[in-house]
């Protein structure tokens, strides 16, 4: 009597249990790692990222200032025995005020620039969305006009402006020496107030911005103030420089 050979088991009979075991292992590892929390973080807030970056920059600037102070103290301690150190310290002290490395007070002018609260629908027919925000060239125009009008010292937001300071905008935010600022933007300069205001009134680029203020509602406000500037405390390193021709 012929016998029927036993049926061969399908490969799926082996694959399915193995896959189930692997899935169970992965679930167990995920539960252990997450400890009940979501392994997929929620949407990252850009404002939060910027704020955290600002905090880090402030901390690094504070650490750098502490190290510079320590170096100065060590240099002063050794200066009496070194004519070269004394001469270098004397030269540094002489140029410190012009370099923005000492506090300064005086009469001056404070200019505030801010984005418009209007919408594109409120603009004249020839207007566009760019009219509604403050741009890098607007801030730079005010800075240049104040320097050209005889400003002796300047602050942009809460930072001293020195020869290596660069005004840059990313979107509608201002990037200055590693820190990010949102409008309104303030530029404060020490100098003869009447001369500074006259220089702002006569500057063509500032006039263009003020025309936009009338048409689109961006803010332009200039007023006389008693200014009190701290010494610049950021980095003085030059990355690129060449003699002026």
């Amino acid at each position: 009597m012929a016998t029927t050979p036993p049926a061969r088991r399908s490969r799926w009979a082996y694959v399915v249990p193995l896959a189930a075991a692997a899935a169970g292992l992965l679930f167990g590892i995920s539960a252990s790692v997450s400890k009940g929390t979501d392994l997929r973080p929620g949407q990252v807030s850009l404002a939060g990222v910027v704020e955290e970056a600002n905090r880090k920059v402030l901390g690094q600037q504070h650490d750098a200032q502490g190290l510079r102070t320590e170096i100065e103290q060590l240099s002063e301690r050794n200066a009496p025995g070194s004519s070269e150190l004394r001469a270098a310290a004397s030269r540094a002290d002489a140029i410190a005020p012009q370099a923005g490395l000492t506090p300064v007070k005086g009469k001056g002018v404070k200019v505030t620039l801010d984005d418009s609260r209007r919408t594109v629908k409120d603009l004249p027919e020839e207007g566009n969305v760019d009219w509604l925000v403050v741009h890098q060239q607007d801030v730079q125009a005010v800075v240049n006009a104040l320097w050209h009008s005889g400003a002796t010292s300047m602050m942009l937001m809460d930072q001293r402006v020195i020869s290596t300071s660069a005004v840059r905008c990313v979107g509608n935010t201002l990037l200055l020496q590693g820190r990010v600022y949102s409008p309104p933007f303030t530029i404060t300069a020490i100098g003869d107030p009447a001369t500074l205001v006259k220089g702002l009134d006569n500057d063509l680029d500032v006039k263009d911005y003020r025309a936009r203020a009338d048409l689109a509602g961006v803010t332009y406000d200039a007023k006389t103030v008693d200014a009190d500037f701290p010494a610049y405390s950021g980095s003085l390193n030059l990355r690129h420089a060449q003699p002026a021709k």
Side-chain angles (χ1 to χ4, degrees):
M1 180 177 178
T3 59
T4 303
R8 297 179 61 185
R9 297 186 65 183
S10 169
R11 70 179 64 179
W12 293 107
Y14 301 99
V15 172
V16 171
L18 288 174
L25 179 61
L26 289 175
F27 289 146
I29 293 173
S30 296
S32 175
V33 171
S34 67
K35 299 185 184 301
T37 61
D38 190 356
L39 285 174
R40 297 169 298 175
Q43 185 177 3
V44 177
S45 167
L46 179 58
V49 172
V50 171
E51 185 176 348
E52 178 62 23
N54 272 339
R55 281 198 295 267
K56 288 182 179 179
V57 171
L58 281 172
Q60 291 168 350
Q61 288 179 343
H62 182 269
D63 293 343
Q65 181 59 34
L67 291 172
R68 279 194 293 270
T69 300
E70 185 177 348
I71 291 172
E72 290 172 0
Q73 291 173 346
L74 290 172
S75 298
E76 290 175 359
R77 193 178 305 164
N78 293 320
S82 170
S83 59
E84 292 182 359
L85 279 176
R86 286 198 303 272
S90 178
R91 290 194 299 270
D93 290 341
I95 65 173
Q98 291 81 9
L101 303 180
T102 57
V104 62
K105 297 181 180 180
K107 292 283 187 181
V109 171
K110 181 178 181 179
V111 180
T112 301
L113 310 178
D114 197 3
D115 293 345
S116 175
R117 301 297 182 267
R118 301 179 189 176
T119 66
V120 177
K121 295 180 180 179
D122 301 322
L123 297 177
E125 184 176 349
E126 68 275 14
N128 60 69
V129 68
D130 287 338
W131 287 19
L132 299 173
V133 296
V134 180
H135 298 282
Q136 174 178 320
Q137 60 266 29
D138 302 323
V139 178
Q140 191 67 63
V142 172
V143 170
N144 290 343
L146 290 170
W147 283 131
H148 291 163
S149 302
T152 57
S153 303
M154 191 178 300
M155 283 193 72
L156 184 50
M157 304 300 283
D158 60 351
Q159 295 196 57
R160 281 289 292 271
V161 176
I162 62 171
S163 59
T164 57
S165 300
V167 178
R168 289 185 292 170
C169 285
V170 180
N172 70 331
T173 61
L174 177 69
L175 180 62
L176 179 65
Q177 289 155 182
R179 293 174 58 191
V180 179
Y181 299 90
S182 298
F185 303 129
T186 58
I187 307 101
T188 310
I190 290 179
D192 178 64
T195 304
L196 295 179
V197 170
K198 183 178 180 180
L200 289 167
D201 291 342
N202 293 334
D203 186 87
L204 294 179
D205 292 328
V206 176
K207 283 184 177 180
D208 287 343
Y209 177 83
R210 295 180 70 175
R212 274 189 18 237
D214 294 334
L215 293 172
V218 290
T219 297
Y220 175 86
D221 179 66
K223 61 183 179 181
T224 301
V225 294
D226 291 314
D228 186 356
F229 295 168
Y232 175 77
S233 59
S235 172
L236 295 173
N237 291 338
L238 285 173
R239 293 187 178 181
H240 303 283
Q242 63 184 38
K245 296 181 180 179

